[in-house]
Amino acid sequence: MTRIISLLLLNLTLSATAQTGKPSVSVVDKVDKAEAGKWREDLRFMAQEMPKRHKNLFHTMTRQQFDDAVGKLDERIPSLARHQIIVDLARIVAAVGDGHTGIGFLYSPTVGFRYYPLALYLFKDGLFVYAADPQYRSIVGGRVITIGNATAGQAIEAVRDLIHRDNDMTVKERVPLILTTPEVLHALGLINDMEEARFVVEQNGRQTAVEIRPVAGPRPNRNNWALGQRFSKLPDWIDARAGSDGVTPLWLEQPEDYFRFTYLDHSQTMYVQFNDVANKDTETVADFARRVFAFADSHPVDRFVLDLRWNTGGNNYLNKPLLLGIIKSNKIDQRGRLFAIIGRRTFSAAQNLVNDLEKYTNVMFVGEPTAGNPNFYGDPTSIILPNSGIVVRVSTLWWQDLDSRDTRQWTGPHIAVELASEDYRTNRDPVLRTILDYVPKKDLAEILMDALTANDVPSAVRVHREFKADPTNAYVNTEGAMNNLGYRLMGMKRLENAIEVFKLNVASYPKSANAYDSLAEAYMVNGNKELAITNYERSLELNPANSNAVEMLTRLKQK
């Protein structure tokens, strides 16, 4: 049973117990009998319609697990309050396991959840209050220590399974919003009273406790709530950057603008911010692309930066003009000159663009991993529950842009850079700074080849270890490059060196059947039958469908 389903059934079985281990208060506003009947009708309707509408509802969980979860909630509905039922519905839908299938309870006027007037963000160094209503100015810029009954870490773990997602980057993006939603915190037992939540934050080594009261009415929409924006609906909020003398970084200047570009004369850098895959009323993406590349043709361009940090998608058929413009430009499409900034909001149609950049250009990705799988379920349709009116969205299409065997959970950056709270407070953009300071260098395979050519195996091992330990390489997948290097060495009849490379690859990717298969082949060619058998057997354990391992084992054992 998968972790997400195990937690789902646990949460539906236990009686509203906080994941911190502390009991919640007794439910005093549970639904009456008539309401319970209506919620059960909605639950049954949802359970019937989701398998019909979704392209493949059971790609992560089994039908039995889904039915069990629905059954558990059906039994508990009479003992729950309205907000607890909605939270459990959201958990069931999120367990489907894709980012386009979920209940958008944060912004739904039908759901009507309130919010605490705080803006949180998961920075590199923790969960921080980066903005707030003026009455809570004392905690702006502070790191969150506890929320109600839970530590910040416990609170994050408690809400993560409510988040419909392709991967955990969406958790990083949405956890801060959910943790400012009183109905959710109460449903999970993290707070005892929805009308007042105790937040403890730390600043300069000193902790401050503040009781926060919720705000009724619609939560500001995502574009007005996102990190760094001037809260157009709440213009008097205090921002952690308010006291900084620095210039607002480019990525925070106009994140609500669908697309724009800026030329940085001092570094001959074209900075193109693409925030939504959608046409403006005043300009289409195609016209924008023509304007971008006309400018690039008439100006010196040392670096071309496509910033997709804010881009959660749109109409992926609109990506083509930008992609073709990059491909056609010899000036731009060069390794070390073309960069794309990706992150925790890069999703859906933006992921399609990332896929195409990866396939067809010499791009270098910088920042955080994307929020989407390279191959993903998308194009959701809506199921409206008949009594509550709650909207459940389910994916209707499978987007397979890349090889069907590509099961990566995200597209990782070639250079990992994460925003720290101090970066935000002082108006620094470490991602763009990294790009502007970038100096081309040899990749890992080339460096290892140089060391092995000099018969310096210890040096090769050291280089590999240092590369893997460097946090900027945190998401670089070296398996394929290392595998190719090993076979290159085998072709040169340098079997001992090839074995060392394959061993390094196995150590880095211990769950890769292919890595073990390659190591086994090198041992076999080198005449070490025992180790060849051992590694083929391990490869077969990891991938029972590996027909090559079956064939090789048969041959080796016959000999």
Side-chain angles (χ1 to χ4, degrees):
M1 182 179 293
T2 63
R3 175 186 177 275
I4 191 168
I5 299 300
S6 298
L7 285 174
L8 170 64
L9 294 177
L10 175 63
N11 276 284
L12 291 177
T13 301
L14 297 177
S15 177
T17 299
Q19 301 212 7
T20 60
K22 297 182 179 181
S24 67
V25 296
S26 300
V27 176
V28 295
D29 55 347
K30 65 182 180 181
V31 294
D32 61 29
K33 186 175 181 180
E35 290 177 304
K38 291 180 180 179
W39 280 111
R40 280 175 155 167
E41 288 177 6
D42 278 2
L43 177 61
R44 285 193 291 270
F45 182 80
M46 184 185 85
Q48 291 166 359
E49 291 299 312
M50 286 180 66
K52 296 177 185 176
R53 307 281 193 93
H54 197 286
K55 177 66 175 177
N56 177 18
L57 190 69
F58 306 114
H59 62 87
T60 297
M61 60 178 172
T62 67
R63 179 65 189 247
Q64 186 61 53
Q65 290 169 338
F66 178 74
D67 290 343
D68 288 347
V70 169
K72 291 286 186 182
L73 177 55
D74 183 74
E75 292 176 4
R76 295 180 63 233
I77 281 175
S79 67
L80 300 177
R82 176 182 182 272
H83 65 283
Q84 294 172 321
I85 296 170
I86 294 172
V87 167
D88 279 349
L89 284 172
R91 184 183 288 111
I92 290 174
V93 180
V96 172
D98 70 71
H100 288 87
T101 299
I103 296 176
F105 56 86
L106 290 174
Y107 300 98
S108 168
T110 303
V111 171
F113 284 175
R114 299 165 299 166
Y115 63 95
Y116 297 117
L118 303 176
L120 310 180
Y121 190 82
L122 266 172
F123 290 101
K124 180 180 181 180
D125 46 335
L127 181 69
F128 281 75
V129 179
Y130 75 85
D133 183 277
Q135 63 182 308
Y136 304 116
R137 67 174 65 241
S138 65
I139 62 172
V140 172
R143 181 169 64 90
V144 178
I145 303 300
T146 62
I147 300 174
N149 304 322
T151 65
Q154 289 169 334
I156 291 168
E157 285 303 307
V159 304
R160 65 184 298 115
D161 291 327
L162 304 180
I163 300 170
H164 53 281
R165 64 192 190 271
D166 282 356
N167 61 53
D168 278 355
M169 295 311 294
T170 301
V171 173
K172 284 190 171 185
E173 189 229 337
R174 293 185 188 163
V175 152
L177 290 166
I178 295 178
L179 290 180
T180 56
T181 307
E183 288 81 4
V184 175
L185 299 187
H186 182 265
L188 296 174
L190 299 177
I191 59 174
N192 298 330
D193 183 355
M194 285 188 287
E195 304 311 314
E196 195 170 71
R198 184 181 180 86
F199 279 70
V200 177
V201 304
E202 183 178 78
Q203 292 173 294
N204 302 318
R206 180 179 179 182
Q207 293 190 2
T208 303
V210 179
E211 304 293 337
I212 313 292
R213 296 185 179 278
V215 174
R219 184 193 295 264
N221 66 48
R222 190 172 298 180
N223 279 342
N224 290 326
W225 191 263
L227 175 66
Q229 300 208 23
R230 304 294 181 182
F231 295 87
S232 60
K233 294 185 179 180
L234 300 164
D236 60 342
W237 276 35
I238 306 299
D239 192 289
R241 297 189 300 122
S244 174
D245 296 328
V247 177
T248 299
L250 285 172
W251 76 291
L252 293 179
E253 279 187 356
Q254 300 177 52
E256 74 286 349
D257 194 349
Y258 285 7
F259 41 76
R260 67 189 184 98
F261 79 88
T262 302
Y263 184 68
L264 308 178
D265 293 276
H266 62 283
S267 60
Q268 297 184 345
T269 297
M270 277 198 73
Y271 173 82
V272 180
Q273 191 173 39
F274 191 35
N275 296 328
D276 287 274
V277 189
N279 293 322
K280 297 181 186 179
D281 292 338
T282 56
E283 186 176 31
T284 65
V285 174
D287 288 339
F288 172 68
R290 279 189 285 271
R291 192 157 56 87
V292 166
F293 296 110
F295 186 94
D297 288 341
S298 59
H299 291 75
V301 178
D302 187 57
R303 287 172 173 80
F304 186 94
V305 181
L306 181 62
D307 194 340
L308 302 173
R309 272 178 286 191
W310 291 113
N311 201 319
T312 58
N315 181 353
N316 56 21
Y317 292 102
L318 299 179
N319 286 326
K320 187 176 179 181
L322 276 173
L323 176 69
L324 290 181
I326 291 170
I327 293 172
K328 291 177 181 178
S329 176
N330 293 328
K331 178 191 292 188
I332 292 171
D333 190 16
Q334 296 183 33
R335 189 74 169 181
R337 180 168 287 189
L338 172 61
F339 299 88
I341 302 177
I342 55 177
R344 64 186 68 180
R345 289 170 60 89
T346 310
F347 181 67
S348 194
Q351 179 68 52
N352 291 125
L353 179 55
V354 166
N355 293 342
D356 286 338
L357 289 169
E358 183 178 31
K359 282 194 295 184
Y360 301 121
T361 75
N362 294 297
V363 71
M364 290 190 69
F365 295 117
V366 186
E368 298 178 309
T370 61
N373 300 151
N375 294 321
F376 61 88
Y377 290 96
D379 289 58
T381 189
S382 296
I383 300 170
I384 302 176
L385 304 188
N387 296 302
S388 64
I390 289 174
V391 177
V392 180
R393 290 164 65 82
V394 295
S395 300
T396 63
L397 291 178
W398 169 246
W399 285 93
Q400 187 176 302
D401 288 351
L402 305 178
D403 192 299
S404 61
R405 295 165 295 183
D406 190 336
T407 58
R408 286 177 295 166
Q409 59 179 323
W410 51 45
T411 300
H414 297 99
I415 306 173
V417 186
E418 193 172 355
L419 191 70
S421 60
E422 187 67 6
D423 294 324
Y424 178 75
R425 190 187 68 78
T426 57
N427 283 305
R428 291 196 299 260
D429 182 0
V431 185
L432 185 58
R433 184 74 264 161
T434 297
I435 292 171
L436 297 179
D437 292 341
Y438 176 76
V439 177
K441 57 186 178 181
K442 290 182 178 181
D443 62 28
L444 177 62
E446 290 178 289
I447 299 172
L448 290 177
M449 190 63 187
D450 289 344
L452 293 171
T453 298
N455 288 318
D456 189 353
V457 174
S459 178
V461 173
R462 176 180 52 78
V463 166
H464 184 269
R465 183 173 59 249
E466 290 174 353
F467 183 92
K468 288 294 185 180
D470 186 341
T472 63
N473 300 323
Y475 301 102
V476 176
N477 189 315
T478 61
E479 182 183 356
M482 292 290 285
N483 207 53
N484 291 338
L485 175 60
Y487 278 110
R488 181 180 170 190
L489 290 164
M490 285 181 66
M492 297 166 64
K493 308 300 182 185
R494 297 175 60 179
L495 293 175
E496 293 298 334
N497 285 343
I499 287 171
E500 291 303 318
V501 169
F502 288 136
K503 284 166 65 177
L504 289 173
N505 214 20
V506 163
S508 297
Y509 301 96
K511 295 184 179 180
S512 170
N514 189 58
Y516 280 99
D517 187 278
S518 299
L519 177 58
E521 183 178 347
Y523 277 130
M524 181 178 68
V525 174
N526 203 36
N528 193 326
K529 175 181 175 181
E530 182 178 344
L531 286 177
I533 289 174
T534 298
N535 284 279
Y536 273 129
E537 287 177 339
R538 178 57 181 150
S539 176
L540 200 58
E541 288 175 12
L542 292 167
N543 178 19
N546 185 351
S547 57
N548 179 68
V550 172
E551 182 180 348
M552 293 300 104
L553 283 169
T554 300
R555 291 183 184 180
L556 287 165
K557 290 178 179 180
Q558 284 176 345
K559 290 180 181 180

